[in-house]
PDB file of all heavy atoms in Angstrom:
ATOM      1  N   PRO R 332     -12.528   7.705  -2.173  1.00 94.00           N
ATOM      2  CA  PRO R 332     -13.516   7.937  -1.089  1.00 94.00           C
ATOM      3  C   PRO R 332     -14.843   8.346  -1.693  1.00 94.00           C
ATOM      4  O   PRO R 332     -15.414   9.382  -1.378  1.00 94.00           O
ATOM      5  CB  PRO R 332     -12.861   9.063  -0.277  1.00 94.00           C
ATOM      6  CG  PRO R 332     -12.051   9.831  -1.258  1.00 94.00           C
ATOM      7  CD  PRO R 332     -11.566   8.809  -2.242  1.00 94.00           C
ATOM      8  N   LEU R 335     -20.547   3.984  -3.448  1.00 94.00           N
ATOM      9  CA  LEU R 335     -21.480   3.624  -4.498  1.00 94.00           C
ATOM     10  C   LEU R 335     -22.653   2.910  -3.830  1.00 94.00           C
ATOM     11  O   LEU R 335     -22.812   1.694  -3.932  1.00 94.00           O
ATOM     12  CB  LEU R 335     -20.839   2.753  -5.553  1.00 94.00           C
ATOM     13  CG  LEU R 335     -19.620   3.400  -6.268  1.00 94.00           C
ATOM     14  CD1 LEU R 335     -18.931   2.373  -7.153  1.00 94.00           C
ATOM     15  CD2 LEU R 335     -20.089   4.589  -7.097  1.00 94.00           C
ATOM     16  N   LYS R 344     -15.943   3.479  -5.433  1.00 96.00           N
ATOM     17  CA  LYS R 344     -15.373   3.680  -6.788  1.00 96.00           C
ATOM     18  C   LYS R 344     -13.900   3.391  -6.734  1.00 96.00           C
ATOM     19  O   LYS R 344     -13.231   3.744  -5.773  1.00 96.00           O
ATOM     20  CB  LYS R 344     -15.643   5.123  -7.228  1.00 96.00           C
ATOM     21  CG  LYS R 344     -15.007   5.531  -8.521  1.00 96.00           C
ATOM     22  CD  LYS R 344     -15.811   5.060  -9.699  1.00 96.00           C
ATOM     23  CE  LYS R 344     -15.190   5.579 -10.974  1.00 96.00           C
ATOM     24  NZ  LYS R 344     -15.128   4.585 -12.018  1.00 96.00           N
ATOM     25  N   ASN R 365     -15.547  -3.766  -3.084  1.00 95.00           N
ATOM     26  CA  ASN R 365     -16.540  -4.034  -2.064  1.00 95.00           C
ATOM     27  C   ASN R 365     -15.843  -4.507  -0.806  1.00 95.00           C
ATOM     28  O   ASN R 365     -15.295  -5.626  -0.749  1.00 95.00           O
ATOM     29  CB  ASN R 365     -17.525  -5.124  -2.564  1.00 95.00           C
ATOM     30  CG  ASN R 365     -18.619  -5.446  -1.570  1.00 95.00           C
ATOM     31  OD1 ASN R 365     -18.492  -5.248  -0.382  1.00 95.00           O
ATOM     32  ND2 ASN R 365     -19.699  -6.010  -2.100  1.00 95.00           N
ATOM     33  N   ASN R 368     -17.303  -7.751   1.175  1.00 90.00           N
ATOM     34  CA  ASN R 368     -17.015  -9.072   0.641  1.00 90.00           C
ATOM     35  C   ASN R 368     -15.577  -9.232   0.147  1.00 90.00           C
ATOM     36  O   ASN R 368     -15.244 -10.279  -0.422  1.00 90.00           O
ATOM     37  CB  ASN R 368     -17.969  -9.391  -0.504  1.00 90.00           C
ATOM     38  CG  ASN R 368     -19.401  -9.410  -0.067  1.00 90.00           C
ATOM     39  OD1 ASN R 368     -19.719  -9.776   1.043  1.00 90.00           O
ATOM     40  ND2 ASN R 368     -20.289  -8.981  -0.957  1.00 90.00           N
ATOM     41  N   PHE R 372     -14.262  -5.579  -8.689  1.00 97.00           N
ATOM     42  CA  PHE R 372     -14.852  -5.745 -10.007  1.00 97.00           C
ATOM     43  C   PHE R 372     -14.261  -4.676 -10.895  1.00 97.00           C
ATOM     44  O   PHE R 372     -14.246  -3.494 -10.514  1.00 97.00           O
ATOM     45  CB  PHE R 372     -16.392  -5.601  -9.994  1.00 97.00           C
ATOM     46  CG  PHE R 372     -17.104  -6.656  -9.234  1.00 97.00           C
ATOM     47  CD1 PHE R 372     -17.352  -6.531  -7.889  1.00 97.00           C
ATOM     48  CD2 PHE R 372     -17.535  -7.791  -9.896  1.00 97.00           C
ATOM     49  CE1 PHE R 372     -18.038  -7.505  -7.195  1.00 97.00           C
ATOM     50  CE2 PHE R 372     -18.211  -8.768  -9.200  1.00 97.00           C
ATOM     51  CZ  PHE R 372     -18.477  -8.636  -7.849  1.00 97.00           C
ATOM     52  N   SER R 387       3.995  -3.527 -29.968  1.00 90.00           N
ATOM     53  CA  SER R 387       2.939  -4.476 -29.632  1.00 90.00           C
ATOM     54  C   SER R 387       2.529  -5.303 -30.842  1.00 90.00           C
ATOM     55  O   SER R 387       2.397  -4.790 -31.955  1.00 90.00           O
ATOM     56  CB  SER R 387       1.713  -3.723 -29.109  1.00 90.00           C
ATOM     57  OG  SER R 387       0.690  -4.621 -28.812  1.00 90.00           O
TER      58      SER R 387
END
Side-chain angles (χ1 to χ4, degrees):
L335 300 172
K344 174 81 175 135
N365 181 337
N368 299 327
F372 293 90
S387 179

